[in-house]
Structures are given as C-alpha cells and as structure tokens.
Amino acid sequence: MSMQPSGPNEVPVETVRVARAAFPKGSLAIRVRDELGPLFRDEEFADLFPSRGKPAWSPGRLALVSVLQFVEGLTDRQAAEAVRARIDFKYALGLELGDPGFDFSVLSEFRDRLVQADAGRRVLDGILTAAGEKGLLKTAGRARTDSTHVLTAAREVAWLERVAETLRSALNTLAQAAPDWLVEVAEPDWFKHYATRAEDSRFPKARAKRDEMGLRIGRDGTRLLQAVWSRHAPRDLRELPQVEHLRRMWVQNFHEVEGEVRRRDPKDRPPGATCLVSPYDMEARNSLKRDTAWAGYKVHLTETCDPGAPNLITNVATTNATVPDFSMTEAVHARLAETGRLPGEHLVDAGYIDAHVLVSARREYGLTLTGPVAGIVSHQAAAGGGFTADDFTIDWAAEQVTCPGGKTATCWNPDHSPEGTPVIRVRFKGGDCRPCPVREQCTTSSVGRRLTLRPRAEHEALRQARAEQDTDTWKERYKTRAGVEGTISQAAQRCGLRRSRYRGLAKTALQHQLTGAAINLARIDAHLTDTPRARTRTSHFAALRPAELTLDGAK
C-alpha cells in the first residue's frame, strides 16, 4: 500500500453547510478544525509508506482520526463508523458528505506503521505546532512533570499457568517456523498438555500435585530448549522472540541439580528489573511505588502550567515499570530542548531530583529545576543535635575540610558511589577525633569521622535547594506542581492511561502519545469555549473539617 498525497484539504462547501446546520453551536471536532486547520499533512508520514502500490487512505487524516478516537474513547470499529456517519468528523477531516471512509482494520495497520518508525511523537508534535502558531502554547514559562503506573494489557496469571503458556507459545511459533523439525523432536505427551491454552485445563488443587505438574512443565521446556540448541536444529530457530522468551523464563524459574530439573528458590531468581511476569507481554515488569504494586510500564507526562493559556502536554515518555523517575529527568529535558519547548522553570516531585540533575538542568539547559530535595542522611542528623556535613567548612581549592572542633582533614579521595556517581571521601584522623570535646555530637567511630561529599557544584546546589525549600516563597511557588496530578487523572479517566490497550513497550508508548494529543485537543476546545477548569473534589464530610484541625486530624 503506497501513500498518495492529498490536496490542500479544504472543507467542501456542502459539508460546511450541513455541519453548521447540524451543529449550530459547534462541536469539539468542528471547533478544533476551525481554530487549528487540518493539523496533519500527508507528507509528514511519507516515509511510512512505499512509493509504489495500492494508494492508501490519507495518512494525515488517519492521524487525526486516531487522536479523535482517543478523545472520545472509541474502538477502531466505532472510529471508522464515525468517519462514515458523523458530520462533525467529516468536517474536521475535510471530507465530502458521501465519502465512504475506510475499513476499521486500516487504523490498526496505521498504528503498526507508526510503531515501526517510532513516529507517535509526530502526532503529538503536530498538535503542539499548530497550537503554537495560534498562540495557544506557552513554553518559556513553567512546566511540570509527574509519572504514573500503567498496567499491561495481558491478564495476570499464576506461576503454573505462566510457565505452561510460555511453553505453549514457543511450541506454536516453532510449529509455524519449522513444522517438520518439531514433529521429530516433540514427545507424544506434549500434544496432550500443550495443544490448547492452559486456562482450558484444570490444574490440580493439591499442593504436591501442582508442584509435580510444575516440574513436568519444567522438564518439557528444558528438553525443547536443548533440542533448539542442538547442532541438528536450524540455527534461525534460536532467534525467534518466543523461543528467547522461553529461554529467559526457564532461566528465571528452573535449574538443573545433579541432572534433575528443579524449581528455583526465590532467593536464586534474577532481580526484579529483569524478571518476566507474563507469557504474553515480554516487556512488562513488576514494580512497586509506595503502596501501589503493578505489572506493566510507567508513563511520564510533562505539561505547561502558565495562566492565560491551556495547559498542554508537551512531552510523553513511556518506560519499563522498573525505571526510576530521577533517571528520566535529563531525558525529558533533552526532548523538550530538541523540540524547542524548554520551560524556564520545571516543577517536579522528589522522585525526579538529585544533585546531578539539579546542576545539569542549569548548566546544560538554562532552566531551574524545582522540587523537594532529600535531607541529609546520617545518624547524626537522625539523632538531632549532631554535626552533619553542612556543619563542616570545605576548602575546595585546597581539598581540605575543617570540622566544628577546629581540626582539618587532608585525606581527600575522589571516588564513586555504589550507583556509579562521583563522590569525594574525606577522613579525619582518629588521633584528632578521640580527644575532641564535641566528639559525642560528631562520631562514635574510633578511627575518626568520615564524610562523603558530592562534587562542588552538586554539593552547593543541594545546600541552596535545602535552604530555599524551607521558605514560604518557595512553598507558594511549588504549589503549582500539584496540578499535574489532575492531568494524570483526566488522562486515566478519559483515555484509559493506566491500562495499556496493546502488548509491548513500543505500542504502549504510541498509546500514550495519542493520549497526550487527545488531552491537548480537549483542553484547546475547553479554552475556546471558556469552560472553567474543574476544582479539586472535596467530600461532603471533609468540607466540615474545623479550620483548627490539621490535615492529619490532630490539633
């Protein structure tokens, strides 16, 4: 299927007449078309289609249909039906009234093309570009970022079903790739146990029987893997994704002890960041954040937050569930810089901040990263009244540190933390510390006080941030960050942000790009119609709370 660029995409006169009559007050699709124009040109997606072949339906229009589909929460069939039957959709797309539209399967094919070319960002960027041209996007002011969990589209399964389904999936793939070879190596019982989905079978209730069944599945999978890696097997079988998935699942769950396949003890299994959790979604991972545990992914949303304009999502980043927030801060800044949408101030929560990103945000991008930084972690700080690192005088040029007792340490050793970040190890002599009159406030070590410092720029950035965040001015400014939680709530309730529609990281990332684009259209429409923003909901009982009570209910 090839792409055939369409013309200027003006709205036909008859479509305009009927749409104005049917929607005298307009609709989201009509208002967005009037304000922003066609939004997408076919040429923006030219690389997704071959130059020869059957002409494709306009990819620029398909991009807009995909966004409108997420705005209204439509299935592919419903979206295709809306293009055929709804006047406001035809208006937004610039179609004749009699245009038959397309088969619903075209939407899935278009998404596949977007995924293969990592082109989902083009859809979000197209709306942001149009909004910028109309003065609806302000990027030089402030922006805020937060993340939330995303559940995998694959259903959760118990351990026994997980390994059984992984083996069945690998057998089905091998049956397609090398049927003659598989017939030779498959054992008769395999057709009994793995020809149908595991959920169609009845697993034994007794613990001993279930353990026995698990070991039988483990032995069968091990024999299949040994056959695939034998010199008689076609070498390309080892490259099949489902076979690699089987291999990793078996390494995670089984091992051989004196020639016998055994289930691994939990202590012997790989770390959570690499553990497979689903036979159907190879990239989903388990994660835990405070009281929320989930299997799937994580999404980071960045939006503008200046008054006088709609708050538009300027960046969407989807990661594995185990990726920590602070590792995404620089990635978000790099993406915003690439698109020319860097804010002057970036509001984030504590998860996105460490000393390194505080410095790099200012040095590399010229922006202020604002968020609560962690306090000093030490037993002296925890005990209260003890001397922390902030009580020591540092001479960076001479590479010396003077303690509150007046002693100077010259043992200054550049090093790296267990996480690989640069640090400086400082050690005072035990002979100086033992007779010190303020030793009890400083250290209990017989070998002398030790300090771990960040490089100078990071050390000073942390001290400044800790001092600022205790001021009323900083607290008042930081209140704006809380609004991004409302954006996540809107995206979750309107577009199903917290559950992936598809399997795999790439398709889930596309879903989130389309979600960001859909929220932006909805917010632009709300801005055009002067729709007030919803206030934070307060329950009837909470509204009765006496003013003298604190948030935790204590006086």
Side-chain angles (χ1 to χ4, degrees):
M1 183 178 291
S2 65
M3 189 204 77
Q4 301 295 330
S6 59
N9 201 15
E10 295 294 333
V11 183
V13 174
E14 187 63 11
T15 302
V16 173
R17 185 186 69 79
V18 175
R20 299 298 184 200
F23 294 91
K25 295 184 179 180
S27 71
L28 183 148
I30 291 174
R31 285 189 290 269
V32 166
R33 173 60 193 244
D34 287 343
E35 181 68 20
L36 303 181
L39 283 177
F40 305 106
R41 295 179 296 106
D42 289 347
E43 291 78 7
E44 297 173 28
F45 305 94
D47 59 314
L48 307 186
F49 296 84
S51 57
R52 295 183 179 181
K54 182 181 178 182
W57 209 72
S58 163
R61 287 176 171 139
L62 285 174
L64 181 55
V65 172
S66 298
V67 178
L68 292 173
Q69 176 185 6
F70 273 71
V71 169
E72 300 196 10
L74 305 177
T75 65
D76 287 354
R77 288 180 183 272
Q78 291 170 333
E81 183 66 24
V83 173
R84 282 191 295 272
R86 285 178 50 173
I87 301 301
D88 60 335
F89 268 52
K90 289 185 181 295
Y91 184 98
L93 296 167
L95 297 176
E96 298 283 353
L97 293 178
D99 193 295
F102 52 84
D103 185 79
F104 74 94
S105 62
V106 171
L107 283 172
S108 176
E109 295 172 1
F110 181 63
R111 287 195 301 270
D112 287 341
R113 294 179 186 273
L114 291 175
V115 168
Q116 291 168 7
D118 191 21
R121 290 175 175 174
R122 301 182 197 178
V123 180
L124 177 62
D125 287 345
I127 292 176
L128 292 172
T129 299
E133 292 173 351
K134 296 295 182 177
L136 298 173
L137 175 63
K138 295 183 179 180
T139 58
R142 293 194 290 176
R144 54 197 179 194
T145 295
D146 202 2
S147 67
T148 191
H149 62 279
V150 180
L151 303 178
T152 174
R155 64 186 180 88
E156 293 186 26
V157 294
W159 174 81
L160 203 57
E161 186 175 352
R162 181 160 63 244
V163 292
E165 277 295 282
T166 302
L167 178 53
R168 188 185 70 87
S169 177
L171 287 169
N172 274 328
T173 300
L174 290 168
Q176 289 181 295
D180 295 336
W181 173 85
L182 185 57
V183 167
E184 293 294 326
V185 302
E187 298 189 13
D189 281 353
W190 292 6
F191 296 97
K192 172 184 176 182
H193 296 306
Y194 311 115
T196 59
R197 295 177 68 92
E199 65 186 41
D200 296 332
S201 304
R202 289 189 176 181
F203 293 112
K205 294 183 179 180
R207 175 66 179 270
K209 292 290 186 181
R210 293 174 71 89
D211 291 344
E212 181 181 336
M213 184 178 185
L215 291 177
R216 186 256 299 163
I217 296 171
R219 289 192 296 269
D220 291 344
T222 300
R223 283 196 290 268
L224 178 61
L225 289 169
Q226 290 171 344
V228 169
W229 260 263
S230 71
R231 61 187 180 86
H232 303 293
R235 295 188 62 85
D236 58 348
L237 298 185
R238 305 173 190 177
E239 308 299 326
L240 295 173
Q242 286 77 8
V243 171
E244 174 61 15
H245 192 54
L246 175 68
R247 185 192 69 79
R248 293 175 58 189
M249 185 71 79
W250 253 238
V251 169
Q252 176 179 314
N253 289 279
F254 301 101
H255 62 156
E256 289 193 43
V257 180
E258 297 179 353
E260 293 291 328
V261 176
R262 294 286 183 264
R263 186 180 178 185
R264 284 189 184 273
D265 186 90
K267 295 181 180 178
D268 295 331
R269 294 174 192 168
T274 60
C275 274
L276 305 175
V277 299
S278 171
Y280 312 113
D281 190 340
M282 302 181 192
E283 296 173 295
R285 295 291 183 271
N286 279 328
S287 192
L288 177 68
K289 184 174 183 180
R290 291 188 288 273
D291 296 330
T292 302
W294 76 99
Y297 306 94
K298 187 187 289 186
V299 61
H300 306 258
L301 300 182
T302 302
E303 68 171 0
T304 60
C305 54
D306 285 314
N311 294 341
L312 300 183
I313 296 172
T314 54
N315 189 68
V316 178
T318 307
T319 68
N320 286 326
T322 56
V323 175
D325 289 350
F326 72 83
S327 67
M328 290 300 298
T329 309
E330 289 187 298
V332 170
H333 290 165
R335 175 60 183 166
L336 292 173
E338 179 185 343
T339 58
R341 301 187 182 108
L342 270 174
E345 183 179 25
H346 189 189
L347 303 168
V348 296
D349 66 19
Y352 287 92
I353 288 211
D354 71 4
H356 174 72
V357 296
L358 274 174
V359 173
S360 66
R362 173 64 66 184
R363 182 181 61 235
E364 302 294 334
Y365 303 103
L367 63 83
T368 300
L369 185 64
T370 299
V373 300
I376 299 175
V377 180
S378 67
H379 73 270
Q380 292 90 350
F387 297 132
T388 67
D390 284 349
D391 297 310
F392 289 70
T393 303
I394 304 171
D395 187 335
W396 296 97
E399 297 185 347
Q400 296 178 351
V401 178
T402 302
C403 73
K407 301 298 182 179
T408 298
T410 58
C411 184
W412 178 287
N413 296 315
D415 197 1
H416 287 83
S417 70
E419 294 76 25
T421 57
V423 295
I424 299 166
R425 311 287 186 188
V426 176
R427 181 169 59 85
F428 286 82
K429 295 178 181 179
D432 290 336
C433 291
R434 281 190 293 271
C436 182
V438 293
R439 179 179 176 227
E440 291 185 0
Q441 296 174 263
C442 188
T443 182
T444 58
S445 172
S446 61
V447 296
R449 177 68 185 262
R450 297 184 180 185
L451 296 177
T452 300
L453 306 176
R454 294 277 195 161
R456 181 174 185 175
E458 298 180 10
H459 178 85
E460 293 177 347
L462 278 176
R463 291 192 65 173
Q464 181 180 354
R466 289 188 183 115
E468 288 181 350
Q469 70 188 27
D470 288 334
T471 65
D472 292 339
T473 302
W474 186 95
K475 293 175 182 178
E476 185 65 29
R477 193 171 79 248
Y478 187 66
K479 286 181 180 180
T480 304
R481 191 216 67 87
V484 72
E485 296 174 5
T487 297
I488 290 176
S489 177
Q490 181 184 17
Q493 295 183 37
R494 184 163 194 160
C495 303
L497 179 76
R498 286 199 177 106
R499 177 172 287 280
S500 179
R501 295 187 177 192
Y502 320 108
R503 296 176 184 175
L505 179 60
K507 289 186 177 182
T508 302
L510 173 61
Q511 172 186 335
H512 294 154
Q513 297 290 340
L514 294 175
T515 296
I519 294 299
N520 283 347
L521 280 194
R523 290 185 168 186
I524 289 171
D525 182 62
H527 179 78
L528 295 175
T529 56
D530 295 321
T531 303
R533 296 173 184 172
R535 299 179 62 84
T536 301
R537 292 190 297 273
T538 303
S539 69
H540 297 295
F541 178 69
L544 299 178
R545 179 189 293 116
E548 65 269 17
L549 291 181
T550 61
L551 291 178
D552 62 1
K555 290 188 178 181

